[in-house]
Amino acid sequence: MTYIVKPKNHHPDLEKNELGLTRRDYEGSISSLCAGCGHDSISAAILEACFELSLSAHNIAKLSGIGCSSKAPAYFLNQSHGFNSVHGRMPSVATGANLANHEMLYLGISGDGDTASIGIGQFIHAARRQLNVVYVVENNGTYGLTKGQFSATNDLESKSKYGEDNLFPSIDLAAMAIQLEASFVARSFSGDKEQLVPLLKAAMKHKGFSFLDIISPCVAFNNHGTSTKSYDYIREHNESVSKPDFVPLGKEITTSYEEGQSVQVPLHDGSLISLEKLSKDFDPSNKASSLTKINKAEEKGKVLTGLLYINTESKDLKETLNVVDKPLNQLSEKDLCPGAEKLQAINKDLC
Amino acid sequence: MSNIKSTNEFVIKFANVNGSGSASANQMFAKGVFRSGVPVSPKNIFPSNIQGLPTWFEVRVSEKGYLGRREGADIVVAMNPQSYNQDLMELNSGGYLLYDSSWKRDFKRTDINVIEIPLTKLCVEEFSNSKQRLLFKNIVYVGALSYLLNMEKEIYEILIKEQFKGKEKLIDPNVKALNLGYDYARENLKEICEIKIETSDKTKGMILTSGNDASGLGCVYGGATVCAWYPITPSTSLAEAFTDFSEKLRVEEETNKNKYAIIQAEDELAAVGMAIGANWNGARGFTATSGPGISLMSEFIGLAYFAEVPLVLFDIQRGGPSTGMPTRTQQSDVLSCAYASHGDTKHVLLIPSDPKECFEFAAEAFDLADRIQTPVIVLSDLDLGMNDWTCPEFKWDDTKLFDKGKVLHGKDLEEIENFGRYLDVDGDGIPYRTYPGAHPEKGAYFTRGTSHDEYAKYTEDGVVNARNLSRLLKKYQTASELVPNPIFKQETNTSSIGVIYYGSTEASMQEALDLLHEEGVILDAMRLRAFPFNLEVWEFIEDHDLLFIVEQNRDGQMRTLIMAEGGIIPDKLVSVLCFDGQPITADFISNKISSHLTGSPSKTAVGGK
Ligand SMILES: Cc1ncc(C[n+]2csc(CCOP(=O)(O)OP(=O)(O)O)c2C)c(N)n1
Ligand code: SF4
Ligand SMILES: [Mg+2]
């Protein structure tokens, strides 16, 4: 059954999207995160992306693990079902949910502890299976919820708030995702809404594993002068590969670019992500080029952001498993139960 | 020496080398007996190894229907020189030892019959291909046995044709090997064997299948669409059966697409997470595992319990603890399943005792999980799961609909003022749930493993949390009324002494009761089929002064569960425990019970209140 979303009565001046909904219709509960936490900005960007894309919130499911970041789904999209599962295991829950009904949009929200440590196995396998999910890591280089231990994405040269050295090198989740054949890989910064919102929109329209590593400073435990995941550090060291613009289906590209200055990548529903190139030697459809670029930026002490890799050709998990188009959770006895006659034939085979 | 003489009641044991291709020949032998109308229970006793170590295949043949394992063999087919000594020891006096006499041997027992067949020589003369020479030795002894036991050879010819349907080239050489053995025995081994098979009708309406195959099929019938699993003996064949049956029964004709999704997950944590995700989203998902997997899945099982997400799990128990005896049987996960996960948790257990029940309980598990909104664990074991059993054929009622439990759809939500995911509207502790996407404005909630109120909102209010935990207990009470009843061997209780047992022990129980009866010991017997225990269980316990609890584990786990859940005094419950990894035998049960009763004369063995 399909429903028309009925807009609530809001202030008449509030901007409305194609569904007649305002941003307020996409809100969640009041956040209980620390004031200034990067995660709240990401929630706002997700809200904005859903609003601008005129998505029906009830056709979105929000899934997460455990952590401050994993709490965030409670703070946007109140009309979406949410599932705050167990630490590091969001990918498996998202896999099962997706197999049950491939027609919904799945937003997986995780943290760097949740994904790069306890959940790294599930992350890897969801990526290589090309699960159709928007997988967001709200990366603050620390375990926020358990009060500031180093996470596996914390850089070697970074120090803790209390002056301790980080002894181990960091895991670059974006580079890893590219190696795993994730078909959409981006990095962004919670403080850069202009870059983040179009990337999120494109990720939501992309079919397959859409991975976003979003640097999201933890003001309580990892925003000090010797941290490489602080607001100041990221603002200073951010190197963007391109300026993304999301172009909805049927809309024209309005900005004019000089020759060779932009690329347009068509997404699965016909919309486009248009990338104004800020770097000439970079081709986001080429794995090797992306990985080299990431490495080079790292050598220079820069954090490379933007759409790092995209492949619109790959099959998602549902296609690979050759699953029927009607969602599995809508199949009835008639579709699923072979019945007494077939059972009698099976009995025959067994005697 | 007196030869063993028997018709339709004996044990034959095949001793082979793992990986030598004997399994299918041995299985074929057993099936031939079944087709002769005589119940059989073949048991594969195999090492945790792919090639080279000894493996045994025991077949109990019993027209009386005693299908539990019995100690000692009446016939041994000794194909493995490595285990000759052990095999020889297990042969009963007056029994028959069949061996490959291409290499002659002197067996140092004078109380047995040695049957010599030069299997290797016969195959070398007849077949040129070296692989065939090796494989066909097994078929040759099947042919010889069919003569020795006075069976109809044709049964095996038909079985060969069925087995190689589609690979017709293989039929002739197999039939040739069969005849080779049959003819050799006819010419050289006349009137040696006094154990016979006589055609009967005791397998009418029966089938020969394994618990795992039956469970896999039950999942198809129960409407499971998502299966996520991680390979582990002895549960692997359940997921494989689900795969095979789905490929046959669940492919959409017009599109050739699958009405199911099966994922071999990266580990058991992921497997159960996927099953939970699928159920949360309204599909029927399950996973199959064994003890080590249950340990890994425990955190997630607690989440499903507390967040009230339906979940179906199969635990095919094997010998523990730790990696334990991965290819031997036990019933040693009772407690770890009943109380899986941290905090106060209790789970529904279904305990089948034969493949027919495996089929039924598999299908029913999904209804129960949806109805109660909780994990349901089907507790089987290696013996039941991996071995073939003679059992009544499967039945299905076409008018039966899936019970998806208390689910509010869009239309329902339109009419509801006040939706609270964890509100106990009906007073049975079971709340109403919604599927994601049900309605644009109503019914969405946040599923969480943190403490929550009736509206699924996070709360740290201890009173609210305690209220929720108490409701879960009420729900658990409701569950006890929904799960399968125990089965009683007697119509009315006649003894002051009872015996409680469960699962695959059923196969040995009737025989044990009959043996005890012969000694004048009369017991009332109850087979548990589910946890939580219901009123009938407690009444049976109440009604008896002394109860034996027969289990295949060391610690008497079911006894502990009964004591804990019912406050039953320990003195009343006497454990009978077999935990050597072999299926429990009737002799073991009756000996233990009988010696307990004679050893404590105050508790008289003879029934009557
Ligand atoms: C099995 C398990 N181990 C440990 C924890 C404790 N724990 C909760 S959140 C967390 C780390 C979260 O870090 P991250 O994912 O980076 O989230 P952040 O709070 O930084 O957003 C840990 C270790 C847990 N909840 N479960
Ligand atoms: S502890 Fe850090 S991550 Fe957690 S809410 Fe506060 S700022 Fe955000
Ligand atoms: Mg973190």
Side-chain angles (χ1 to χ4, degrees), chain B residues 465-491:
Chain B
N465 191 46
R467 192 163 67 217
N468 190 36
L469 289 172
S470 303
R471 179 184 53 78
L472 284 167
L473 212 51
K474 194 199 285 175
K475 181 167 99 160
Y476 176 77
Q477 186 59 38
T478 303
S480 75
E481 292 156 23
L482 298 173
V483 297
N485 276 326
I487 299 274
F488 300 99
K489 289 262 184 217
Q490 61 289 339
E491 260 166 38

Side-chain angles (χ1 to χ4, degrees), chain B residues 348-368:
Chain B
V348 173
L349 309 179
L350 302 182
I351 315 172
S353 71
D354 70 0
K356 181 165 192 261
E357 264 184 356
C358 286
F359 172 78
E360 290 167 356
F361 285 7
E364 190 175 351
F366 293 95
D367 280 356
L368 284 171

Side-chain angles (χ1 to χ4, degrees), chain A residues 200-232:
Chain A
L200 278 165
K201 284 158 79 179
M204 288 172 185
K205 290 292 174 185
H206 174 78
K207 186 190 72 186
F209 196 80
S210 306
F211 179 68
L212 292 106
D213 175 18
I214 307 174
I215 316 287
S216 175
C218 169
V219 292
F221 300 109
N222 204 14
N223 195 34
H224 44 277
T226 49
S227 160
T228 57
K229 297 265 191 298
S230 66
Y231 281 109
D232 289 345

Side-chain angles (χ1 to χ4, degrees), chain A residues 126-173:
Chain A
R128 71 182 263 274
R129 289 190 193 108
Q130 209 62 249
L131 176 68
N132 191 8
V133 65
V134 177
Y135 192 122
V136 172
V137 170
E138 309 195 339
N139 186 354
N140 52 16
T142 189
Y143 286 14
L145 193 58
T146 51
K147 297 191 187 283
Q149 299 81 6
F150 284 126
S151 86
T153 64
N154 197 282
D155 295 309
L156 202 47
E157 59 275 24
S158 192
K159 276 188 199 301
S160 83
K161 188 177 173 181
Y162 313 103
E164 299 146 327
D165 289 322
N166 175 19
L167 303 178
F168 303 103
S170 68
I171 293 173
D172 185 335
L173 291 169

Side-chain angles (χ1 to χ4, degrees), chain B residues 493-510:
Chain B
N493 295 339
T494 56
S495 176
S496 60
I497 307 169
V499 57
I500 299 175
Y501 65 101
Y502 56 97
S504 60
T505 302
E506 169 69 36
S508 289
M509 204 61 210
Q510 188 58 52

Side-chain angles (χ1 to χ4, degrees), chain B residues 449-465:
Chain B
T450 41
S451 43
H452 43 266
D453 67 9
E454 285 81 354
Y455 296 88
K457 291 267 178 293
Y458 178 65
T459 178
E460 290 181 9
D461 182 333
V463 175
V464 175
N465 191 46

